[in-house]
């Protein structure tokens, strides 16, 4: 994908920011972010920066396509449900209404809407069972987008990790906590017994999925984006030093998903996309990025 004018919301953050960095190499990219989680230095280089709430973004007709990644994440959503509803639903619906019908929208959603999937691996036809305000608001946004703006694509992402994920951010995922412990020797905390599984997806694979879907995907469709590999939290401890202390504590409400692994046959069939980065390769690449950017 080359020579496009692209608007990316949440572009100072982890996933959307990495997508912006990659796409800006061959496209003209503008990123929107209210810097709720970051300071101004988090805006990706090589992009136009717009500091504002997504609900205040009224003029979007100049862009060839919009990628919507701005979100209140699942962890903050537990303590700030009103903020979650405001950003993930109210402001998101306003944004969708302000985008011309002929402008494609790609929405970065979440596999959290499946809850505990009734089949593993979980495909796009599985019943949805959101078990948090976060997951419910993401599902509502999906449904509204498909009804109001059929010129769209929806990606359900699973446990993304990689460059731009900051260990000092209290809302970072488990993988960056593993990386932090591996480098600093800090005790690693496991919620529950560690048997719960997740589908860890390297962020650059997500970026390539975005491009593949925009170029070859079917409008109005939902696509799972994951590695297709089920990994337990206990298995992540393989990346720790042998003398790293591992502490097991009672699980949190957020950890109520016992198993997660996505079926990614649909996106492979429609676009030819498949993940290229193994868990170990992604771990090593992220570690290098963290060290180069003095994140510890």
């Amino acid at each position: 994908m080359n020579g496009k004018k692209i608007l990316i919301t949440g572009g100072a953050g982890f996933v959307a920011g990495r997508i912006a960095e990659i796409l800006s190499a061959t496209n003209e990219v503008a990123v929107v972010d209210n810097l709720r989680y970051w300071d101004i230095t988090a805006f990706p280089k090589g992009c136009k920066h717009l500091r504002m709430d997504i609900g205040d973004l009224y003029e979007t007709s100049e862009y060839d396509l919009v990628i919507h990644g701005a979100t209140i994440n699942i962890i903050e959503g537990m303590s700030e449900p009103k903020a979650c509803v405001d950003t993930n639903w109210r402001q998101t619906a306003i944004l969708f209404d302000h985008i011309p019908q002929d402008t494609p929208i790609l929405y970065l959603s979440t596999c959290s809407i499946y809850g505990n999937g009734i089949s593993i691996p979980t495909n796009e036809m599985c019943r949805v069972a959101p078990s948090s305000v976060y997951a419910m608001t993401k599902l509502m946004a999906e449904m509204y987008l498909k009804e109001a703006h059929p010129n769209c694509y929806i990606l359900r992402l699973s446990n993304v990790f990689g460059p731009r994920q900051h260990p000092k951010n209290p809302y970072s995922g488990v993988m960056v906590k593993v990386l932090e412990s591996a480098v600093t020797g800090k005790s690693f905390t496991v919620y529950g017994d560690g048997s719960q599984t997740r589908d860890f997806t390297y962020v650059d694979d997500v970026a390539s999925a975005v491009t593949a879907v925009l170029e070859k995907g079917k409008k109005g469709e939902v696509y799972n984006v994951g590695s297709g590999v089920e990994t337990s939290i206990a298995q992540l401890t393989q990346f720790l030093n042998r003398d790293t202390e591992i502490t097991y504590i009672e699980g949190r409400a957020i950890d109520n998903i016992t198993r997660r692994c996505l079926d990614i046959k649909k996106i492979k069939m429609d676009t030819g996309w498949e993940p290229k980065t193994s868990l170990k390769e992604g771990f090593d690449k992220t570690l290098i990025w963290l060290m180069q950017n003095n994140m510890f």
Side-chain angles (χ1 to χ4, degrees):
M1 187 165 61
N2 301 299
K4 301 289 187 181
K5 291 191 70 174
I6 305 172
L7 177 68
I8 302 180
T9 70
F14 163 41
V15 179
R18 185 61 173 170
I19 292 169
E21 287 179 337
I22 292 171
L23 292 182
S24 66
T26 56
N27 299 277
E28 184 180 338
V29 177
V31 296
V32 178
D33 203 294
N34 63 7
L35 300 183
R36 180 186 182 92
Y37 300 119
W38 324 100
D39 61 34
I40 198 168
T41 62
F43 274 121
K45 295 179 176 62
C47 302
K48 179 181 178 181
H49 303 156
L50 302 171
R51 183 175 181 177
M52 61 194 305
D53 288 334
I54 56 174
D56 295 330
L57 188 64
Y58 298 110
E59 182 51 59
T60 60
S61 59
E62 67 179 286
Y63 300 103
D64 297 315
L65 64 98
V66 176
I67 299 172
H68 180 37
T71 189
I72 297 294
N73 69 30
I74 190 169
I75 300 176
E76 186 182 13
M78 298 295 291
S79 59
E80 296 290 342
K82 290 182 179 179
C84 199
V85 171
D86 182 60
T87 296
N88 298 0
W89 165 239
R90 187 188 70 82
Q91 291 195 54
T92 289
I94 291 172
L95 171 66
F96 291 159
D97 287 344
H98 289 156
I99 298 172
Q101 287 287 307
D102 60 349
T103 301
I105 302 173
L106 186 142
Y107 178 46
L108 300 178
S109 188
T110 174
C111 65
S112 292
I113 69 165
Y114 296 122
N116 276 298
I118 58 176
S119 61
I120 299 292
T122 306
N123 66 33
E124 292 87 349
M125 296 301 292
C126 181
R127 67 95 174 92
V128 293
S131 58
S132 66
V133 172
Y134 166 81
M136 179 59 76
T137 56
K138 299 293 277 189
L139 177 59
M140 290 168 63
E142 281 191 18
M143 297 174 69
Y144 184 77
L145 178 60
K146 291 179 74 173
E147 290 289 336
H149 204 302
N151 190 11
C152 69
Y153 310 90
I154 295 168
L155 303 190
R156 292 176 179 165
L157 311 183
S158 178
N159 295 90
V160 186
F161 74 100
R164 290 185 62 89
Q165 197 171 29
H166 295 261
K168 294 180 181 179
N169 181 349
Y171 304 120
S172 291
V174 64
M175 182 60 78
V176 80
K177 303 300 183 185
V178 174
L179 284 153
E180 183 179 24
S181 292
V183 171
T184 66
K186 178 182 176 181
S187 175
F188 178 64
T189 300
V190 176
Y191 293 93
D193 62 7
S195 64
Q196 63 270 34
T197 62
R198 298 292 184 265
D199 186 339
F200 293 99
T201 314
Y202 188 61
V203 69
D204 288 12
D205 285 334
V206 172
S208 67
V210 166
T211 299
V213 168
L214 287 169
E215 291 179 342
K216 301 178 181 179
K218 297 177 181 178
K219 292 178 181 178
E221 290 293 328
V222 175
Y223 293 100
N224 284 342
V225 177
S227 70
V229 177
E230 187 177 13
T231 302
S232 72
I233 303 304
Q235 285 178 285
L236 295 183
T237 61
Q238 68 181 294
F239 297 119
L240 301 175
N241 297 323
R242 290 185 177 181
D243 57 350
T244 300
E245 179 183 2
I246 301 174
T247 304
Y248 292 85
I249 64 176
E250 186 177 351
R252 306 165 294 180
I254 195 176
D255 299 310
N256 59 5
I257 307 302
T258 56
R259 295 183 67 189
R260 176 177 293 153
C261 182
L262 296 187
D263 185 326
I264 53 176
K265 292 188 183 72
K266 181 178 177 180
I267 189 173
K268 287 183 180 180
M269 183 180 301
D270 284 2
T271 73
W273 175 88
E274 59 183 352
K276 302 294 186 183
T277 312
S278 70
L279 188 67
K280 179 63 166 61
E281 291 170 335
F283 181 91
D284 290 343
K285 289 179 178 180
T286 308
L287 181 60
I288 290 170
W289 182 87
L290 290 166
M291 298 295 287
Q292 288 177 338
N293 288 274
N294 300 312
M295 291 296 171
F296 299 112

